[in-house]
Amino acid sequence: MPELPEVETVRRGLEGAVVGRRIVEVKVLGRRTVRRQSPAELVTRLEGRKFATAGRRGKFLLLSLDDDAVLVVHLRMSGQLLHLSGAQRWPMAPHTHVVVALGDGTELRFVDPRTFGEWFVSSEIDGRGVPLELAHLGRDPLLEGLPTAYLAARLAGRRAGLKALLTDQRMIAGIGSIYADEICFRAKLRPDRSGGSLSAGEVTSLAKAARAVLRDAVASRGSSLRDLRYRDLDGEVGSFQERHAVYDRAGERCRRCGDHVERLKIGARAAYLCPGCQL
DNA sequence: CGCATATCCTGACTGC
DNA sequence: TGCAGTCAGGATATGC
């Protein structure tokens, strides 16, 4: 759900909301959010520090601190970061698992009904500012681009379907279910096409489509689905869902060719495609 | 190694 | 209207 465009939108919000602010107090209310270290250790390492920068790698948010450690946050399926001030702080939303009080009297809160989301503080940072725990991530298309040659090398000889490969974070960091389907549509390729079956021209279209879809989705501040679970730091929804060509549109007409959008089952996951447009 | 499958979880939806 | 069952999918572990 929150994928690269949504996480990038939240990151931009954090630049204005928390960068430069002092962390006055941290309360960990949920039992599952902090699991790589004890909640007490996370609290100790955050309290008294200042947020220095707001970064992102794939779907991970990276909030660096003034002692060079980094607070890593992943929203997973249902996590929301909210920046609240004054009367907005009450009543506290159900499933609020972390509350960070900032020096200016505002709060950064983490709300996450399904408790898949995660917070941890890392001190093991590589030369590019990336925590060691995230070393497995592949290229981030927004930060580092997605050259056709890189994609071609990673797809060569692969039997797995395009959707499975595009959402593999070790290959490309940041793409999830929604954008994999939208990228395949824009490239006119079926999500169940095997990676190794693409011609050079098709790999070029796929790389181009990935860059374009992610760029457009960031410009639209991400996609908020029917449950409106995804919201930015200020609680605002995104608008890219209005431009989805196939995702969650099973049975509706393709706006390009008029054919009916289909929903496939790939393993346990859904994939949407237009059979008229995608080969 | 590559690929498939199961797991975590709650809320929204579906069908009776 | 209520209730049981299904689905949603991020990342990770495990099995082959």
Side-chain angles (χ1 to χ4, degrees):
Chain A
M1 300 241 211
E3 304 179 25
L4 187 152
E6 292 77 28
V7 178
E8 174 62 16
T9 302
V10 172
R11 186 200 69 77
R12 292 178 183 184
L14 288 167
E15 290 209 306
V18 310
V19 168
R21 310 271 156 80
R22 182 78 63 190
I23 300 167
V24 174
E25 188 188 15
V26 178
K27 281 184 279 202
V28 178
L29 307 172
R31 289 160 46 104
R32 285 175 43 85
T33 303
V34 183
R35 36 190 188 259
R36 300 195 196 211
Q37 58 208 166
S38 70
E41 186 189 344
L42 177 121
V43 169
T44 303
R45 294 175 71 175
L46 291 179
E47 283 182 349
R49 302 263 62 87
K50 235 183 201 178
F51 286 117
T53 63
R56 179 192 59 76
R57 186 161 186 89
K59 302 171 197 169
F60 291 86
L61 286 162
L62 307 176
L63 288 166
S64 76
L65 307 172
D66 56 358
D67 62 356
D68 297 326
V70 174
L71 168 63
V72 182
V73 174
H74 199 304
L75 306 174
R76 293 279 186 107
M77 305 297 299
S78 61
Q80 284 181 330
L81 278 178
L82 294 171
H83 184 232
L84 303 175
S85 57
Q88 295 177 313
R89 287 172 297 177
W90 189 88
M92 193 179 294
H95 309 292
T96 300
H97 300 316
V98 187
V99 178
V100 177
L102 301 169
D104 62 356
T106 65
E107 286 183 1
L108 179 68
R109 289 191 186 169
F110 186 61
V111 179
D112 183 20
R114 293 172 72 176
T115 71
F116 287 171
E118 187 180 11
W119 283 44
F120 64 92
V121 176
S122 174
S123 301
E124 317 257 13
I125 313 301
D126 75 9
R128 298 171 305 170
V130 179
L132 219 63
E133 291 89 342
L134 308 188
H136 64 284
L137 292 178
R139 287 181 85 101
D140 183 298
L142 222 65
L143 298 173
E144 305 165 303
L146 187 64
T148 300
Y150 174 82
L151 197 57
R154 300 301 301 262
L155 293 177
R158 299 294 299 266
R159 194 162 51 85
L162 286 182
K163 178 158 187 176
L165 295 168
L166 289 173
T167 55
D168 183 343
Q169 304 300 298
R170 293 167 299 183
M171 181 167 127
I172 304 170
I175 298 175
S177 194
I178 297 171
Y179 297 104
D181 286 353
E182 294 299 316
I183 288 165
C184 285
F185 174 83
R186 188 148 348 176
K188 300 190 171 65
L189 296 166
R190 295 178 58 98
D192 54 353
R193 267 285 289 279
S194 81
S197 73
L198 269 57
S199 69
E202 287 172 330
V203 176
T204 305
S205 324
L206 188 62
K208 226 172 164 173
R211 295 188 296 256
V213 166
L214 294 172
R215 181 197 60 219
D216 291 355
V218 169
S220 297
R221 305 180 60 80
S223 303
S224 295
L225 304 181
R226 273 177 295 197
D227 63 4
L228 301 182
R229 172 52 57 185
Y230 164 68
R231 290 167 182 274
D232 68 15
L233 263 197
D234 298 314
E236 303 291 328
V237 297
S239 66
F240 194 67
Q241 68 280 359
E242 295 160 18
R243 300 177 55 196
H244 287 178
V246 288
Y247 185 82
D248 202 23
R249 294 193 66 235
E252 296 176 41
R253 288 194 178 276
C254 170
R255 287 188 276 258
R256 184 173 164 273
C257 78
D259 211 341
H260 292 281
V261 174
E262 281 180 7
R263 182 181 180 276
L264 293 183
K265 268 276 189 196
I266 300 181
R269 305 295 192 225
Y272 298 88
L273 76 152
C274 169
C277 291
Q278 295 169 260
L279 297 175

